Amino acid sequence: MFLQDNESVVLTDQGSLTEDVIVSHGDGAMDPTGANEVSIAYKVFTFEDNSAECLSVSIPEVLDPQYGMYVWPCAVVLAQFLWSHREELKDHTVLELGAGVSLPGVLAARCGAKVLLSDSARNPLCLENCRRSCDANRLRDVVVLGLTWGEVSPDLVLLPKLDIILGSDVFYEPRDFEDVLVTVAFLLRKNPRAQFWTTYQERSADWSIEPLLRRWNMNCVDIQLESFGADKSELAGSTLPGSHSVHMMIITLNTRDLD
């Protein structure tokens, strides 16, 4: 656990750090009511396998009703997939879309990938939390930038060559589905050998991205959770994903577009 000098830590009665460490950030101009103070819980996720290797990452959650500031079950499942493919990540360039608290992207960076974290350019609080996640894990070389789904911005156009694109629970609101896939399609056309690794939580049997995949000339392969040890109610030392129905898939550009 790496904490900044201006953070206060809540201890248990025994004086040791709790698993969810609560810290407070002030901007120096906080009024007596504490209106400008932000409370953060640092959660630790530990990824292991049958070997002696393990990796722990610390993720800050802002105790605020904005859902982008929490670790959701899909993020833990996607991070587990990354951990199971950690040898493939080394020296590859990885972009996480809709990163929020950035668990998958942070884990990829800890495994040796060159990582870019992105979230909506319209949500500076989420971008700040991406940076906070990097600070918590002493990641100095991770780039954080604003990318809004469905918009071809200069930052999107100027991205470096990508190998892997990540997205956990980006298919949350049906109204966003096409915007997400427009962005993914743009990136895959620029990087035709890249793959989009994504997890989603089944919230309605009526929701489907298959027509949109056909429209944007992309293919999808479902990945069974048991194939990478994610078919459990507890994962990485966390009760997430619990009983949620989480699915994993890899989306690629239709092979007709490849040379």
Side-chain angles (χ1 to χ4, degrees):
M1 178 71 63
F2 309 113
L3 301 177
Q4 305 302 314
D5 292 340
N6 63 340
E7 296 175 344
S8 60
V9 181
V10 175
L11 303 179
T12 63
D13 292 340
Q14 292 77 24
S16 60
L17 289 175
T18 60
E19 179 179 354
D20 294 347
V21 179
I22 310 299
V23 300
S24 297
H25 291 258
D27 62 6
M30 185 178 64
D31 61 38
T33 66
N36 295 326
E37 186 175 277
V38 176
S39 294
I40 300 168
Y42 282 79
K43 288 192 174 181
V44 177
F45 297 85
T46 301
F47 296 86
E48 304 174 290
D49 58 19
N50 294 328
S51 70
E53 284 190 83
C54 69
L55 177 63
S56 293
V57 295
S58 177
I59 298 296
E61 294 186 318
V62 176
L63 305 182
D64 183 276
Q66 297 191 57
Y67 52 73
M69 305 294 188
Y70 294 93
V71 177
W72 291 78
C74 287
V76 185
V77 172
L78 182 55
Q80 175 68 22
F81 185 77
L82 292 166
W83 172 247
S84 70
H85 291 77
R86 58 191 178 276
E87 294 301 325
E88 301 171 31
L89 296 174
K90 292 179 180 178
D91 299 321
H92 280 59
T93 302
V94 176
L95 168 69
E96 183 173 4
L97 298 175
V101 294
S102 313
L103 172 59
V106 164
L107 186 133
R110 293 287 306 276
C111 290
K114 301 171 185 176
V115 173
L116 302 96
L117 300 175
S118 72
D119 212 307
S120 173
R122 301 168 186 163
N123 196 337
L125 293 179
C126 279
L127 294 173
E128 179 59 31
N129 217 55
C130 291
R131 297 183 185 96
R132 192 177 287 122
S133 291
C134 293
D135 290 343
N137 293 277
R138 292 187 175 175
L139 297 173
R140 307 304 181 202
D141 298 326
V142 174
V143 175
V144 176
L145 71 162
L147 296 178
T148 301
W149 300 333
E151 296 183 5
V152 181
S153 65
D155 282 336
L156 184 70
V157 172
L158 294 173
L159 285 172
K161 180 180 179 295
L162 301 175
D163 299 296
I164 300 167
I165 305 160
L166 304 175
S168 69
D169 222 2
V170 292
F171 298 110
Y172 181 87
E173 293 282 0
R175 65 175 179 266
D176 293 330
F177 288 2
E178 185 153 27
D179 284 344
V180 172
L181 289 175
V182 165
T183 299
V184 171
F186 177 87
L187 293 170
L188 291 180
R189 287 172 183 174
K190 283 191 64 181
N191 305 274
R193 301 290 177 181
Q195 298 182 341
F196 178 39
W197 296 359
T198 184
T199 47
Y200 67 97
Q201 185 174 326
E202 187 176 323
R203 295 182 172 89
S204 171
D206 297 329
W207 296 357
S208 174
I209 64 169
E210 289 185 13
L212 294 172
L213 289 174
R214 289 194 295 269
R215 178 183 302 172
W216 292 99
N217 201 31
M218 292 184 286
N219 296 321
C220 172
V221 175
D222 292 320
I223 307 297
Q224 299 303 309
L225 300 194
E226 58 266 25
S227 70
F228 57 98
D231 56 332
K232 304 168 185 176
S233 60
E234 295 187 11
L235 203 56
S238 166
T239 54
L240 297 173
S243 60
H244 300 287
S245 298
V246 176
H247 303 272
M248 166 86 202
M249 57 186 175
I250 294 177
I251 293 174
T252 56
L253 194 65
N254 193 304
T255 53
R256 290 189 310 238
D257 285 359
L258 297 179
D259 294 333

